[in-house]
Amino acid sequence: RGRAPVAEAAYLAKNFRQAVVNGEDSRGFQQAMRDDGFLSLRDDAERIVRQGITAKAQVAEFLHSLE
């Protein structure tokens, strides 16, 4: 196991677009993205650990660096 990319992407899906129009803050954007079915960075990181692509320690280090 090694390093693997973890990504978060957004396009103007219904709820995300409405959050932008409403001037939501980052938490509002994140909630709208979840409502539209997007994976968060944390969700994607946990997914690649479950798939055995990378180690839980690597993900913990990455997520900690975002705080």
Side-chain angles (χ1 to χ4, degrees), residues 14-62:
K14 179 184 173 189
N15 293 309
F16 185 65
R17 180 177 46 250
Q18 193 60 50
V20 171
V21 169
N22 291 345
E24 296 284 345
D25 61 10
S26 63
R27 288 181 189 215
F29 289 155
Q30 290 171 346
Q31 183 60 53
M33 289 174 68
R34 279 191 297 273
D35 293 345
D36 283 329
F38 290 98
L39 289 179
S40 69
L41 287 174
R42 180 178 301 280
D43 293 337
D44 193 37
E46 291 171 355
R47 176 188 62 80
I48 65 174
V49 168
R50 284 192 307 274
Q51 292 178 343
I53 296 170
T54 194
K56 192 172 185 175
Q58 282 291 147
V59 167
E61 180 181 331
F62 166 73

